[in-house]
Amino acid sequence: MPPALTREPSDAAEAHALGDEYVTALGKIINSHVRNEAAGAAVFDEPSISLAPTPRDKWLACRMAMEEYGHHLKFNKLADDLGLENAHDRPPLSVFDYQVESWTGYVMTKAIVDLAEVVLMEDLCECSYLPLRRLCRSLMPEERFHVGFGTARARRLGADPGTREEARSSAHHLIALTLPFFGRSGSRNNEIFRRWGIKRLTNDEARAEFIRRTRALLCDDLGLDYPEVATRWPGTTS
């Protein structure tokens, strides 16, 4: 049991009974997912439908857009239950500035950006707030399906001389954009999350795990080089 907890809250009333710091910390995590699940669906998945090369790929892109919007709605329900303020007061993360202009670019967002989401959600699968823990565990099969979709198609793209360089360029660009996704090194917010058992990993530990997995994809699976990156990110946001 984390040092700040004597029991794991099973509903919003029990979370509020622990005080404002706990609810505020939960709110930062939940509202981030409210914003970013919707942003991913709108910015990555919706444009991909017209770019998909086959009817099956269009169907899968539609499915993933539907699932991402579904995740948004489910996180939004958690936010409403806790009485949280509007999640859209802050913009989505900078990775959603990426413009999907080709099917290859979209495939790499699923293989890389959705992998970052999996790393973060795996941590939340042990969250001390039981409704959030249960939600993340229920969403993991869909999140892993999205990454598996991207990974399988990235392997094909990497093996094709006609798409190999675009796959490499997209991967390098997306990895650089995604590193801040995990938050600032030495984040005070992250310290609070871990003290309350909302998260277990530091931001740098989560970022290192993302780097490990994407390095395996690019170098081991696709035979591509990996961009020069660092596990630390001294950004100004938490």
Side-chain angles (χ1 to χ4, degrees):
M1 189 73 66
L5 284 177
T6 57
R7 60 175 294 180
E8 294 177 325
S10 62
D11 57 27
E14 291 183 4
H16 280 280
L18 292 173
D20 290 344
E21 184 178 73
Y22 185 69
V23 174
T24 298
L26 282 175
K28 289 178 179 178
I29 296 291
I30 293 169
N31 279 341
S32 175
H33 282 272
V34 171
R35 290 190 298 272
N36 295 320
E37 295 284 359
V43 175
F44 297 156
D45 295 307
E46 284 195 58
S48 75
I49 298 168
S50 64
L51 297 168
T54 69
R56 177 173 174 78
D57 286 326
K58 290 182 185 296
W59 171 67
L60 289 169
C62 289
R63 170 183 165 177
M64 287 184 282
M66 179 188 72
E67 289 174 349
E68 296 289 13
Y69 279 122
H71 298 180
H72 160 79
L73 294 173
K74 290 173 182 178
F75 279 108
N76 201 56
K77 174 67 164 54
L78 276 190
D80 288 345
D81 289 346
L82 283 165
L84 301 177
E85 295 181 0
N86 193 327
H88 299 283
D89 289 343
R90 296 181 62 184
L93 297 174
S94 59
V95 69
F96 298 112
D97 292 337
Y98 181 80
Q99 297 294 309
V100 173
E101 297 176 342
S102 69
W103 181 246
T104 296
Y106 173 66
V107 164
M108 300 314 293
T109 69
K110 306 315 283 183
I112 291 171
V113 182
D114 282 39
L115 179 56
E117 177 68 7
V118 164
V119 171
L120 292 177
M121 202 173 283
E122 284 175 346
D123 199 10
L124 293 175
C125 284
E126 304 302 325
C127 175
S128 60
Y129 184 50
L130 298 183
L132 180 54
R133 181 194 298 181
R134 287 192 293 266
L135 175 59
C136 289
R137 289 181 178 182
S138 74
L139 298 181
M140 283 306 301
E142 291 180 352
E143 292 290 357
R144 289 192 171 117
F145 167 73
H146 300 172
V147 175
F149 165 91
T151 299
R153 282 156 179 76
R155 291 191 184 107
R156 298 177 200 170
L157 295 169
D160 183 342
T163 53
R164 183 175 176 81
E165 179 54 34
E166 185 184 1
R168 175 191 176 277
S169 176
S170 295
H172 280 221
H173 188 42
L174 282 165
I175 287 168
L177 283 175
T178 305
L179 291 176
F181 192 93
F182 298 93
R184 179 174 56 83
S185 300
S187 164
R188 173 61 178 157
N189 280 340
N190 181 265
E191 292 175 10
I192 295 170
F193 299 153
R194 288 183 289 115
R195 180 157 58 82
W196 283 106
I198 298 169
K199 286 189 174 187
R200 296 168 301 141
L201 300 179
T202 68
N203 291 341
D204 287 345
E205 287 170 341
R207 193 166 15 250
E209 179 61 14
F210 167 77
I211 291 170
R212 184 188 71 79
R213 296 191 199 185
T214 50
R215 188 184 297 276
L217 170 64
L218 261 65
C219 301
D220 299 342
D221 293 355
L222 276 65
L224 299 172
D225 64 320
Y226 197 81
E228 186 173 335
V229 298
T231 58
R232 293 187 59 79
W233 184 67
T236 57
T237 61
S238 298

